[in-house]
Amino acid sequence: MSKIQLISDTIDEAALVEAVRTPVAGAIATFAGAVRDNNKGRAVLYLEYEAYDPMAHKVLERIAKEARERFEIEDIAIAHRTGRMEISEDSVFIAVSSVHRPAAFDACRYAIDEIKREVPIWKKEYFEGGEVWIEGPGDCEHSHGE
Amino acid sequence: MKVKVQLFAAAKELARTDRIDVELPEGATVSVLSETIGRQCPELHELLPVSRIAVNQEFALSDLQVHDADEIALIPPVSGG
């Protein structure tokens, strides 16, 4: 299976964990990003993710490569969903294996932070009474230009 | 020369199209392209300063020259994850 996935179906998280498992790796760290039912005080109904597909795939590949270069990891797999996402569904999943746990934790954190900054994917939030494109990474308020 | 610029997300909705054609002088840079988009599509005026331009699926610096065969996209602030 491909270790970099941009897909509209449910992410097969167990398969990604197995994909990075190797005999020398004593640690596998994972991160799952899930759809929250609230944002900035609004009751969220669902999200729609849009991607610039070919570039998004390339940037995910680059992030995986950079994680391998920066951290002592054995392997990394990243999956990101596109299309409509319901509450509590995972929109992104990262699995990293390493000999010892610090590298896997660090690479996992690095990968999700870079994904939020660099991958051309946008989410539109549908809430009670409206819809809005979310601009910029993170869970806090971001002003333009940040 | 004429370049095609793909639009996504908020940019696509504001311009009401997923692609615009932009007429540029030969050797125009990314920053010239961005200024020209702003003049051609005033509805993108507020989004442009916070957006990036991708050329051939890579984020481009403002002084990069663009060519008519390039794959160009306007990338509003991303919000994946």
Side-chain angles (χ1 to χ4, degrees):
Chain A
M1 78 185 302
S2 172
K3 288 175 192 161
I4 301 294
Q5 300 178 5
L6 190 62
I7 53 170
S8 54
D9 300 329
T10 304
I11 298 168
D12 187 345
E13 300 181 357
L16 290 170
V17 169
E18 292 314 306
V20 300
R21 189 184 294 280
T22 74
V24 298
I28 297 176
T30 66
F31 174 82
V35 177
R36 281 200 312 276
D37 72 354
N38 68 91
N39 190 28
K40 299 171 186 169
R42 299 185 292 253
V44 177
L45 302 174
Y46 63 93
L47 300 179
E48 282 269 355
Y49 282 79
E50 178 178 335
Y52 176 16
D53 281 65
M55 181 172 170
H57 204 277
K58 272 177 79 166
V59 177
L60 289 173
E61 295 270 9
R62 170 162 65 76
I63 291 168
K65 179 169 172 280
E66 287 168 358
R68 285 193 185 88
E69 289 165 357
R70 284 169 182 251
F71 306 98
E72 292 277 318
I73 62 174
E74 295 303 313
D75 208 349
I76 179 169
I78 304 173
H80 201 300
R81 297 252 327 245
T82 59
R84 177 171 168 150
M85 303 277 315
E86 309 298 333
I87 306 302
S88 294
E89 280 194 284
D90 289 345
S91 55
V92 61
F93 186 80
I94 301 163
V96 184
S97 60
S98 60
V99 175
H100 302 294
R101 66 187 181 282
F105 277 128
D106 291 348
C108 222
R109 176 67 190 254
Y110 172 82
I112 186 58
D113 289 350
E114 285 298 300
I115 287 167
K116 284 178 170 282
R117 262 197 295 269
E118 293 292 307
V119 183
I121 296 177
W122 301 268
K123 62 175 157 256
K124 191 178 204 182
E125 180 186 298
Y126 291 79
F127 55 90
E128 302 278 3
E131 57 189 64
V132 64
W133 283 105
I134 304 298
E135 288 183 9
D139 300 325
C140 48
E141 293 279 354
H142 280 252
S143 61
H144 282 276
E146 197 173 318
Chain B
M1 65 177 174
K2 190 183 279 183
V3 300
K4 299 179 181 68
V5 180
Q6 298 183 67
L7 303 179
F8 295 94
K12 183 167 74 179
E13 275 186 14
L14 288 167
R16 293 192 182 84
T17 178
D18 61 2
R19 204 192 82 183
I20 53 174
D21 293 336
V22 182
E23 190 65 39
L24 292 176
E26 293 293 330
T29 59
V30 163
S31 63
V32 170
L33 168 65
S34 185
E35 288 161 20
T36 310
I37 295 171
R39 278 198 302 275
Q40 191 174 319
C41 300
E43 59 274 26
L44 296 177
H45 187 75
E46 279 186 37
L47 196 57
L48 276 165
V50 295
S51 297
R52 288 180 276 184
I53 300 277
V55 176
N56 299 325
Q57 300 175 9
E58 287 186 9
F59 291 115
L61 297 176
S62 58
D63 60 354
L64 182 79
Q65 286 191 4
V66 297
H67 305 92
D68 53 4
D70 286 338
E71 180 179 323
I72 297 170
L74 179 65
I75 310 289
V78 300
S79 54

